[in-house]
Amino acid sequence: MKFTIRVNGVEHTREVEPRLLLSDFLRHEIGLTGTHVGCEHGVCGACTILWDGAPVRSCLAFAVQAEGHEIRTVEGLAPGPGQLNPLQQAFRDAHGLQCGYCTPGILMTMTAFLEENPKPDEAQVREALSGNLCRCTGYQHIVDAVLLASQA
Amino acid sequence: MKPAPFAWHAPEDLAAALALKAQHGGEAQFLAGGQSLVPAMNFRVAQPAVLVDLNRVAALDSLAFDAEGTLRVGAMCRYRRIERDAEVARRLPLLVEALAEVAHPQIRNRGTLAGNLCHADPASEMPAVMLALEARFRLCRHDGERVLPARDFFLGPLATALAEEEMLAEIQIPALPPGTGTGFLEVARRRGDYAMMGVAAVLRRGPEGRCVAARLALCSAGPTPMLAERAAASLVGTRLTAEDFAAAAALAVAEIDPMGSVQASPAYQRHLAGVLVPRALALAAERAA
Ligand code: FES
Ligand code: FES
């Protein structure tokens, strides 16, 4: 079926099957491969995107359901090519990533989190991070990065 | 990890949704938040031929207290809306306390209470909380409706009293009488995981401080959410002391029927119940003061 979706402020019209997951649509239909796919059953958080501003699992929604909603992916964070936004810069400065597989999902989760809690404490950051798995960092540097961004 | 093909319908009103379900029967499934159904479809454990997507039925995204103080939660009301509602937090703190244990914010941003209840996972917190709060469920079909107490809704693991044509359209949670205190506690491997054991306690004190009503409901404690009725009855008339809680816990441990999982043996689950029941009761008693 034909449908239109808005991603990072840009409209895309495509003909897709209803069973196409939003995560696969973003990656394969419009080439936004920054959204990663880990588990495809809602556990790992790698595929987290913002749906009308709220972080959700893109592997647990069908692309056609997103019509009429505002979708934001990691590609929508940087102010321009070759640039990083303050949260991304903090991840770089605090070594908040190693392989980077989990990072786009964590950035999207934390973007929404910091909008609501601009000055969080460490416990709040850890709680907010609980829905995103990282196999590399042991989380400490991610927590550091988010706290660093909140001080900027 | 990709869903099997299905026909997708996204009606905009309840009557159309119910008509579609009546037309397609067991071939069709309602899709609410999708946080249980879509994973099952990705695994192809679930392969509905028809999906009746309720996300565009605006009237089902409702959350309000009625004149009697009963909270009415529509089928498309997402967890996030409930947990952020100040009035719900004030009048039904048990609901909000237990919601914090349900998965993660990303899941709660989309998941719905009604969808969770229809999934009927006995390890899930919400079915037990519905028993503790004596919720009623309004089940609608194209040609009628009925209201069922929560305790008659859960029949077994992933099995409910819903008929093929029915939708859980509304959850009704009655007001807690004055003097009532509630508490929810669970033990899980990690934050947001399913509980290995969870306990919801509701206690009411009379004018002299004695307990006049008690309810205890447990999750991960049997094939359905479990009411520990003998344990609760033992508390009525007591002064709600630590000894009373220990006696109730012993009864509750005998009443439940934990099934065990990769994370916890039935014996360990019973041990957890023995630890959590007195703590949840103490919490509720303190708040009932
Ligand atoms: S890929 Fe969506 S949560 Fe893991
Ligand atoms: S940096 Fe490798 S999974 Fe997180």
Side-chain angles (χ1 to χ4, degrees), chain B:
Chain B
M1 296 302 291
K2 306 295 173 194
F6 54 82
W8 180 65
H9 298 277
E12 291 183 2
D13 64 81
L14 179 59
L18 294 172
L20 280 162
K21 191 75 171 89
Q23 183 190 339
H24 296 285
E27 297 272 273
Q29 258 191 282
F30 287 120
L31 174 64
Q35 304 301 286
S36 302
L37 180 55
V38 180
M41 291 176 70
N42 287 357
F43 279 119
R44 299 207 179 187
V45 176
Q47 298 194 17
V50 177
L51 269 192
V52 181
D53 187 342
L54 302 178
N55 282 271
R56 294 183 186 173
V57 185
L60 288 175
D61 182 9
S62 57
L63 179 73
F65 288 93
D66 67 16
E68 276 92 64
T70 297
L71 179 64
R72 294 170 175 265
V73 186
M76 274 312 303
C77 180
R78 303 183 198 275
Y79 286 133
R80 213 51 174 167
R81 180 166 173 201
I82 303 172
E83 70 182 83
R84 291 186 170 187
D85 190 291
E87 205 49 18
V88 174
R90 194 175 65 78
R91 299 206 214 178
L92 294 167
L94 179 65
L95 189 54
V96 176
E97 188 169 46
L99 270 176
E101 306 288 346
V102 176
H104 308 289
Q106 294 99 326
I107 301 288
R108 300 202 296 270
N109 278 334
R110 251 189 109 63
T112 63
L113 177 57
N116 168 280
L117 298 174
C118 293
H119 188 56
D121 190 324
S124 175
E125 293 85 357
M126 285 301 121
V129 169
M130 293 301 115
L131 294 190
L133 292 175
E134 296 189 299
R136 297 178 302 265
F137 299 158
R138 187 156 72 91
L139 311 183
C140 293
R141 50 195 293 153
H142 70 290
D143 57 356
E145 62 173 76
R146 59 180 174 141
V147 176
L148 206 62
R151 58 179 308 163
D152 296 333
F153 183 76
F154 302 102
L155 303 183
L158 312 186
T160 70
L162 273 174
E164 210 167 82
E165 299 183 359
E166 281 178 325
M167 173 200 298
L168 168 49
E170 184 183 71
I171 298 133
Q172 305 169 350
I173 308 176
L176 293 170
T180 303
T182 61
F184 184 86
L185 288 175
E186 74 170 44
V187 172
R189 275 316 272 196
R190 285 167 309 195
R191 190 89 175 100
D193 272 9
Y194 276 118
M196 293 187 283
M197 179 56 62
V199 178
V202 179
L203 292 176
R204 180 150 57 98
R205 286 186 198 270
E208 286 125 56
R210 287 189 187 272
C211 176
V212 293
R215 276 191 311 283
L216 259 183
L218 298 89
C219 63
S220 266
T224 61
M226 303 291 277
L227 270 178
E229 296 194 285
R230 282 189 293 135
S234 78
L235 292 163
V236 176
T238 71
R239 294 211 160 271
L240 299 174
T241 64
E243 290 73 49
D244 300 325
F245 298 153
L251 287 169
V253 167
E255 275 182 276
I256 59 175
D257 183 20
M259 300 188 295
S261 68
V262 286
Q263 296 179 328
S265 65
Y268 181 54
Q269 289 182 293
R270 280 187 206 276
H271 165 77
L272 290 175
V275 173
L276 290 177
V277 165
R279 287 187 192 167
L281 288 171
L283 205 57
E286 196 185 299
R287 294 165 175 176

Side-chain angles (χ1 to χ4, degrees), chain A residues 1 6 10 12 16-17 32 39 51 55 66 70 81 100 112 123 141 144 147:
Chain A
M1 60 179 292
R6 253 177 94 82
V10 180
H12 305 266
V16 302
E17 279 188 87
L32 296 181
C39 67
W51 178 298
E70 195 68 49
H141 292 292
D144 293 346
L147 289 172

Side-chain angles (χ1 to χ4, degrees), chain A residues 96-103 133-137 142:
Chain A
L97 60 145
Q98 289 181 23
C99 78
Y101 204 85
C102 67
T103 311
L133 298 182
C134 173
R135 300 188 301 178
C136 304
T137 62
I142 298 176

